[in-house]
Amino acid sequence: MKTPWTKTLLYALLTICAALVLYPVLYTFFMAVMTPEDASAYPPHIIPQSIDLSNFTEVFDIVPIGSFIGNTFLVAGLTMLGQLVTASMAAYAFAKMEFKGKNVIFSMFVATMMIPWEVTMIPNYLTVRSWGWLDTYQGLTIPFLATAFGTFLLRQFFMQLPKELFEAAKIDGCGHIRYFVSHVLPLSRPALGTLAIYSFLSMYNSYLWPLLVTNTPEMRTVQIGISMLEFQESTAWNLVFAGTALVILPSLLLLVFGLKQLVRGMAAGALKG
């Protein structure tokens, strides 16, 4: 049984750990509202001495951050929808349908998760270039429309659905397509929500691939746009952090509102395979 002292010590330890984890995010927002003098002071100020909200408007004047955020939302949204469609259909086939070599094919499918992204980056780039998709939304999204991780995650969830449900639906005249659309997808909202949040945040934070396949400011995404706030002569860190705060704010809000769904989906996939 835990004594009051043990509980107090545990809560104190958890509070310190939470503060350490949250400190980079808090420091980003503190720096974003500092004046140039505060931001460049030595030793550095942890808490702003004054609030300067003009940093945000100055960021919009220097780089088209709104256009970059719009591009990123479009690319991340299309990728998320594509992964939900392809992963759910593939996961249903692996979980609920019987065909020759299913286990072998699924093993090979899952094995692709062991291949580092950097290994496939050059072939993907050469393919996209040969198709004339450089500096286009097709080049930014289509290579990421299918995901082995998403298929694995959804398959684990689909396998938890009772067989009796499909047998009852089959007696009622349901085929695989109707059962998949009318029963499996509505019952799998936690897992689908988890995959949606994961895929959106992964693409939202992507840097290297958009840098490779885009050349014009009109097609750049926000992660590349932030680097435009750094100059060779000097760097105004308050502006860099103001831009960073604008960039991470949507993903933070998405994580806050989708955290419950994310945890439920991950727990459901981990408890039973």
Side-chain angles (χ1 to χ4, degrees):
M1 181 180 293
K2 293 180 180 177
T3 64
W5 279 106
T6 307
K7 286 185 179 179
T8 304
L9 185 63
L10 180 62
Y11 283 124
L13 182 63
L14 291 175
T15 303
I16 293 172
C17 292
L20 290 175
V21 171
L22 290 175
Y23 176 71
V25 179
L26 294 176
Y27 187 68
T28 299
F29 285 100
F30 287 157
M31 282 286 286
V33 296
M34 283 186 184
T35 61
E37 293 74 21
D38 276 348
S40 58
Y42 186 83
H45 295 155
I46 296 177
I47 298 176
Q49 306 297 306
S50 59
I51 305 297
D52 185 7
L53 296 179
S54 65
N55 293 334
F56 296 104
T57 56
E58 196 168 345
V59 168
F60 279 94
D61 293 336
I62 296 174
V63 295
I65 195 77
S67 172
F68 293 154
I69 292 177
N71 276 343
T72 311
F73 263 90
L74 180 62
V75 171
L78 291 174
T79 305
M80 178 189 71
L81 291 176
Q83 290 192 6
L84 285 176
V85 172
T86 57
S88 61
M89 294 174 70
Y92 179 83
F94 285 126
K96 296 296 180 183
M97 300 177 73
E98 297 297 332
F99 52 90
K100 192 174 181 180
K102 184 176 78 171
N103 293 331
V104 175
I105 295 173
F106 181 69
S107 300
M108 294 171 63
F109 201 80
V110 173
T112 60
M113 289 194 294
M114 302 297 110
I115 302 174
W117 156 244
E118 289 77 9
V119 175
T120 61
M121 184 173 56
I122 298 301
N124 281 336
Y125 175 79
L126 295 176
T127 303
V128 167
R129 190 183 64 175
S130 67
W131 289 349
W133 285 358
L134 290 180
D135 216 31
T136 64
Y137 289 115
Q138 300 96 296
L140 283 168
T141 57
I142 287 181
F144 301 95
L145 293 185
T147 165
F149 169 74
T151 304
F152 174 76
L153 177 72
L154 295 182
R155 174 188 176 269
Q156 299 304 102
F157 195 90
F158 291 170
M159 289 183 70
Q160 299 179 46
L161 300 178
K163 293 180 181 178
E164 292 78 9
L165 182 63
F166 178 65
E167 291 171 357
K170 193 174 180 181
I171 293 173
D172 199 34
C174 275
H176 280 294
I177 296 177
R178 187 177 166 193
Y179 176 67
F180 172 68
V181 174
S182 303
H183 295 81
V184 174
L185 292 183
L187 291 172
S188 305
R189 280 179 295 181
L192 293 171
T194 300
L195 179 60
I197 294 170
Y198 175 81
S199 61
F200 186 91
L201 291 180
S202 296
M203 201 62 203
Y204 190 86
N205 293 319
S206 177
Y207 176 79
L208 188 55
W209 182 254
L211 181 64
L212 277 176
V213 300
T214 59
N215 301 311
T216 59
E218 290 76 17
M219 294 301 300
R220 293 292 196 188
T221 56
V222 74
Q223 304 298 338
I224 303 171
I226 288 298
S227 63
M228 295 180 182
L229 293 170
E230 297 183 40
F231 306 102
Q232 289 184 351
E233 296 81 11
S234 63
T235 299
W237 290 109
N238 55 326
L239 298 182
V240 173
F241 278 89
T244 306
L246 289 171
V247 170
I248 66 175
L249 194 58
S251 55
L252 278 180
L253 292 175
L254 181 65
L255 188 62
V256 168
F257 289 112
L259 185 61
K260 185 178 178 181
Q261 200 82 303
L262 188 65
V263 172
R264 285 179 59 192
M266 286 293 185
L271 291 176
K272 188 175 180 180

